[in-house]
Amino acid sequence: MYTRLSAPLDVQWELTPWCTYNCVHCYNYWRRDERPKRVLTEDQLEVHRKTARELLENKVFHVTLTGGEPLGVIEQVLPELRQLAAAGVHMSINTNLALMTPEMGRLLKELGIRSILTSLMSANEVLNDAIAQQDGAFRRTTEGIKVAVSMGFRVSVNMVVSKKNFDTIYDTGKLAYALGAKAFCATKVSKPSNCDDFTGFPINRAQLGSMFHELIRLRKQFGIEVASLEHYPACVFPDTETRTMFGNRNCSAAKTSCTVGFDGNIRPCSHAPMSLGNVAEQGLSASWIGMDSWRDDSLVPSVCKLACGEYPGKCGGGCRIESLNALQGVGGSDPYSLEAAPTAKRAVAKLKILDPTAVVQLHSKVRFRKEDFGFIAYRSSTNWVAMDSTLYGILVPSKPVSVTDVATAYQSSEDDALETLSILAAKGIVQII
């Protein structure tokens, strides 16, 4: 059971369905009856204006600009993006970088964007272009990466791994490192919801395990950060090393994040085919409230609830959309799930306890949002905490705070107060002074 927040912390905003490429694994590819146009219509621009207003009114902390290819339309939605930036909303962007130029980079920096996630299908140029269904895609993306890196952007490269490019994982990660990327991600392909025949694309469990091991090999050899951008069942990891590295990602759909489409439709996540509202009709808040079944554990497979000691931990039985696409329904088993307790253990990082004499102060970059239970204190999508009004009242004056101050306010032990301050420090909410 997850506490319902008043609104998402993070939103994926699909600015357009148009893209320079036509990747066969993309969930947008299978939606297309005809090729979308690059120039946004006045109706689409009006939806974007309403979306920006909803994001601001609901005090969303972070927005990821995505698509389609967002760089193709970003100049058309500059007024809305500048509104978000002026209000302190942090933005990042998912782009294939085919349209990246120094001028585009300066525009992104004007909006406060510093982080870019891009896609590269393979280090093999011919294979990459075949998957993108666009000649020259490899050259355009790699050149775009070079421009972004030279301008100081933090670039992460994601490779969607299928049977088509599985054998090139290592070489693609090595290329990402050579191009100056800070991180390389390998993420298994997922069947698009309205694709009738995806034969020849999905990797099997053994290949998934090998994908994890290739990422670890790249990290050890080059020192590059590695990740996989999917939420996997806990029972799928072949050993403790892979589970320690990649098993802590949880599904944020309708819990802390959601997706707003270019048409204003609001979905639990980008892969989800179902719309649970629209910014121009119900609005973000009402649509968010309507996603309760995604956070009340009713969609967790019964076999996981009964047989797995991980429940109700981060696993949640795997991906609900993978289950849907495997014709099991959103409450069925993830096709990668073993329907058994995991054999590998998940390593939980030990909290670093502060010195009992430490004095801390609220970090200047923390932003707050009022909630029914108190407040959200937010630094990033991974560094945020929920707190009650008492703790908020202690921290917000931005005065020095000691263990004794917290213990006195709560009439608690100093050990408990020290643990509280240690958690806040670990999340970057406070800093030692």
Side-chain angles (χ1 to χ4, degrees):
M1 175 70 72
Y2 292 84
T3 298
R4 183 210 292 161
L5 302 177
S6 62
L9 305 180
D10 310 276
V11 166
Q12 299 266 333
W13 185 7
E14 296 172 347
L15 296 182
T16 176
W18 176 88
C19 189
T20 45
Y21 304 155
N22 204 25
C23 301
V24 292
H25 58 251
C26 179
Y27 63 90
N28 268 324
Y29 170 75
W30 300 98
R31 292 181 188 169
R32 299 174 184 170
D33 296 321
E34 59 183 44
R35 191 82 170 187
K37 292 180 172 60
R38 176 170 175 174
V39 177
L40 297 173
T41 66
E42 179 55 36
D43 286 344
Q44 289 173 324
L45 289 172
E46 179 57 26
V47 167
H48 286 350
R49 287 189 280 268
K50 290 178 179 178
T51 298
R53 288 198 294 270
E54 287 291 312
L55 295 172
L56 291 170
E57 288 176 8
N58 286 277
K59 298 183 179 179
V60 172
F61 292 107
H62 184 273
V63 174
T64 300
L65 307 178
T66 183
E69 176 45 57
L71 291 186
V73 300
I74 197 164
E75 291 176 300
Q76 291 181 264
V77 293
L78 265 181
E80 290 69 42
L81 300 182
R82 283 173 173 153
Q83 286 177 23
L84 297 183
V89 178
H90 291 174
M91 287 180 279
S92 59
I93 191 166
N94 296 350
T95 165
N96 60 37
L97 287 175
L99 302 175
M100 187 63 173
T101 62
E103 293 75 21
M104 184 66 74
R106 287 190 283 274
L107 184 57
L108 296 181
K109 285 194 171 184
E110 176 199 328
L111 295 171
I113 294 173
R114 298 293 182 270
S115 178
I116 294 173
L117 177 66
T118 193
S119 294
L120 191 63
M121 275 66 77
S122 177
N124 181 312
E125 183 171 354
V126 174
L127 177 58
N128 182 92
D129 289 3
I131 294 173
Q133 297 195 106
Q134 183 70 245
D135 290 341
F138 177 88
R139 175 185 55 79
R140 295 169 73 184
T141 290
T142 52
E143 288 301 316
I145 292 172
K146 291 176 186 177
V147 171
V149 168
S150 71
M151 296 187 71
F153 288 96
R154 175 187 167 83
V155 177
S156 299
V157 172
N158 181 50
M159 176 186 183
V160 177
V161 178
S162 69
K163 287 182 179 178
K164 305 291 184 183
N165 60 2
F166 176 80
D167 292 333
T168 67
I169 296 172
Y170 176 82
D171 288 340
T172 309
K174 182 179 178 181
L175 175 60
Y177 171 75
L179 290 170
K182 295 296 184 183
F184 175 68
C185 312
T187 308
K188 70 169 176 59
V189 71
S190 294
K191 176 182 177 293
S193 294
N194 51 353
C195 167
D196 294 329
D197 184 7
F198 207 53
T199 305
F201 285 92
I203 59 176
N204 58 37
R205 289 193 190 103
Q207 289 173 316
L208 183 60
S210 296
M211 183 189 82
F212 294 140
H213 283 125
E214 286 289 72
L215 285 171
I216 291 172
R217 179 159 76 112
L218 286 161
R219 179 175 179 267
K220 290 178 178 178
Q221 185 163 348
F222 300 107
I224 191 171
E225 295 175 31
V226 295
S228 190
L229 306 182
E230 275 286 351
H231 160 236
Y232 299 100
C235 54
V236 82
F237 295 98
D239 50 57
T240 298
E241 183 179 32
T242 56
R243 190 167 179 223
T244 298
M245 287 284 296
F246 309 109
N248 285 323
R249 181 180 290 271
N250 62 348
C251 176
S252 63
K255 303 174 183 73
T256 60
S257 69
C258 69
T259 294
V260 178
F262 70 93
D263 52 5
N265 284 338
I266 299 170
R267 313 194 306 277
C269 73
S270 294
H271 291 285
M274 68 286 290
S275 169
L276 299 177
N278 187 284
V279 292
E281 297 169 11
Q282 295 84 358
L284 181 58
S285 179
S287 302
W288 179 254
I289 291 170
M291 297 181 187
D292 275 348
S293 63
W294 285 77
R295 48 187 165 252
D296 64 7
D297 285 356
S298 62
L299 300 181
V300 177
S302 57
V303 66
C304 299
K305 293 179 180 179
L306 294 172
C308 184
E310 287 294 294
Y311 180 79
K314 287 190 173 184
C315 174
C319 177
R320 301 299 86 225
I321 303 305
E322 283 279 18
S323 171
L324 176 67
N325 293 340
L327 305 180
Q328 300 294 313
V330 289
S333 293
D334 184 310
Y336 286 87
S337 171
L338 299 176
E339 297 190 347
T343 56
K345 294 183 178 180
R346 175 167 58 90
V348 179
K350 187 176 181 180
L351 178 64
K352 182 179 179 181
I353 301 297
L354 298 178
D355 185 289
T357 62
V359 177
V360 303
Q361 189 169 351
L362 182 69
H363 197 287
S364 61
K365 292 186 177 180
V366 174
R367 293 174 292 158
F368 289 94
R369 188 174 77 193
K370 184 75 175 70
E371 300 287 341
D372 288 343
F373 54 78
F375 296 86
I376 292 290
Y378 186 95
R379 280 287 304 277
S380 71
S381 58
T382 55
N383 289 314
W384 61 273
V385 298
M387 63 176 61
D388 62 17
S389 298
T390 299
L391 190 54
Y392 175 83
I394 296 171
L395 296 175
V396 165
S398 295
K399 295 179 180 178
V401 176
S402 69
V403 171
T404 301
D405 293 331
V406 177
T408 300
Y410 281 98
Q411 297 184 334
S412 67
S413 70
E414 294 209 343
D415 285 345
D416 287 343
L418 180 60
E419 182 176 358
T420 296
L421 289 186
S422 298
I423 292 171
L424 295 174
K427 290 291 187 179
I429 305 301
V430 298
Q431 55 191 354
I432 299 173
I433 58 175

